[in-house]
Amino acid sequence: MKAVIFDLDGVITDTAEYHFLAWQHIAEQIDIPFNRSVNESLKGISRAESLENMLMIGGVETKYSNAEKQELMHQKNQYYQALISKLTPEDLLPGIGRLLCELKGENIKIGLASSSRNAPAILKRLEIMDDFHAIVDPATLTNGKPDPEIFLTAAAQLGVSPAECAAIEDAEAGISAIKSAGMFAVGVGHEPSMLQADLIVRQTSDLTIVLLHEVWGKYRIRSVKE
Ligand code: BG6
Ligand code: MG
């Protein structure tokens, strides 16, 4: 394990909840149904694709022009940015600060593979920007999660091969992307969407370098046998 690549929203900090609140605000405005189960299917997906999915589920996929959709995305992002403007280092999810320290202590590279265009602003507010050796800019990619491109790009930027990477995600699309990239997948949460993961932890406080090394060892032995 030469590198660990992190998703951001829902792994490093609880901004997955902020995305939910911001989309809920838009859904109320345009009067379409929205709940946590719909939100679950949006996790890891880009802003534009999330809106398209919401409109489709609400049965109004042809109702809005491109300009109106841009405006809805803009409003969602403004609502979201108001929420993230209050983030402080206290908002790191439990255990994440410790894990970053442990990784640095072992010279394991640290990467970020987030679909969010707000990621750099969030890392700055959490004061962990300097811990990352690579931060993939989602605007430079052709395909979003579940395509493996973002994780493969992170590995390339870190100068390691995919087989040397573990990656941590809270979303089904993210876990699929990690597995398609040929990496060791760590899922955070207890959603059915974590099923493809190689290791599932209930909460971020369970993530330690000792656990990663332990399961990584078993996984590699299993991979060689398979
Ligand atoms: C992902 C989130 O990290 O980023 C999604 O899981 C979100 O919910 C996506 O839609 C894009 O984020 P942003 O900040 O660019 O709208
Ligand atoms: Mg996430």
Side-chain angles (χ1 to χ4, degrees):
M1 188 170 72
K2 291 199 180 155
V4 173
I5 301 171
F6 290 80
D7 171 46
L8 173 66
D9 298 314
V11 169
I12 289 178
T13 186
D14 200 14
T15 39
E17 186 63 18
Y18 293 176
H19 281 294
F20 168 71
L21 294 172
W23 283 128
Q24 190 180 45
H25 171 73
I26 297 298
E28 276 166 13
Q29 244 183 13
I30 61 173
D31 199 23
I32 57 169
F34 188 67
N35 54 34
R36 289 201 177 265
S37 139
V38 174
N39 183 65
E40 196 55 38
S41 70
L42 306 182
K43 285 186 179 171
I45 307 288
S46 74
R47 201 179 307 162
E49 217 181 315
S50 296
L51 178 65
E52 291 296 344
N53 288 358
M54 276 175 65
L55 296 178
M56 197 159 68
I57 293 167
V60 288
E61 63 269 41
T62 54
K63 186 170 172 186
Y64 298 96
S65 68
N66 280 341
E68 286 167 333
K69 286 184 203 169
Q70 287 298 332
E71 179 53 27
L72 289 172
M73 284 192 277
H74 175 70
Q75 282 176 27
K76 184 266 177 176
N77 199 44
Q78 282 202 315
Y79 191 100
Y80 180 72
Q81 286 184 335
L83 294 173
I84 61 171
S85 71
K86 297 190 183 74
L87 288 173
T88 73
E90 300 285 296
D91 291 303
L92 274 179
L93 277 168
I96 294 296
R98 184 202 54 223
L99 180 61
L100 290 171
C101 280
E102 289 173 343
L103 294 170
K104 285 189 282 181
E106 293 198 14
N107 285 323
I108 294 175
K109 298 237 169 81
I110 302 173
L112 189 82
S114 169
S115 313
S116 172
R117 296 181 185 221
N118 290 294
I122 293 173
L123 294 185
K124 271 187 212 140
R125 292 217 57 88
L126 297 172
E127 295 180 13
I128 53 169
M129 189 90 159
D130 293 344
D131 292 339
F132 288 81
H133 303 101
I135 297 170
V136 179
D137 177 359
T140 62
L141 304 175
T142 311
N143 301 302
K145 299 169 186 177
D147 190 278
E149 186 180 3
I150 193 165
F151 287 99
L152 294 173
T153 306
Q157 288 182 5
L158 292 168
V160 294
S161 73
E164 295 168 327
C165 297
I168 311 175
E169 264 286 353
D170 70 322
E172 184 167 14
I175 298 284
S176 298
I178 298 171
K179 291 315 296 169
S180 301
M183 296 178 182
F184 178 80
V186 181
V188 181
H190 44 91
E191 305 292 340
S193 42
M194 300 285 107
L195 284 179
Q196 256 193 293
D198 300 297
L199 164 67
I200 303 172
V201 294
R202 285 296 288 261
Q203 57 229 346
T204 51
S205 55
D206 298 334
L207 286 169
T208 62
I209 190 103
V210 172
L211 178 66
L212 289 182
H213 279 315
E214 190 188 310
V215 186
W216 175 273
K218 290 183 192 149
Y219 162 79
R220 283 296 159 218
I221 292 166
R222 202 183 70 206
S223 302
V224 169
K225 279 188 189 154
E226 273 171 4

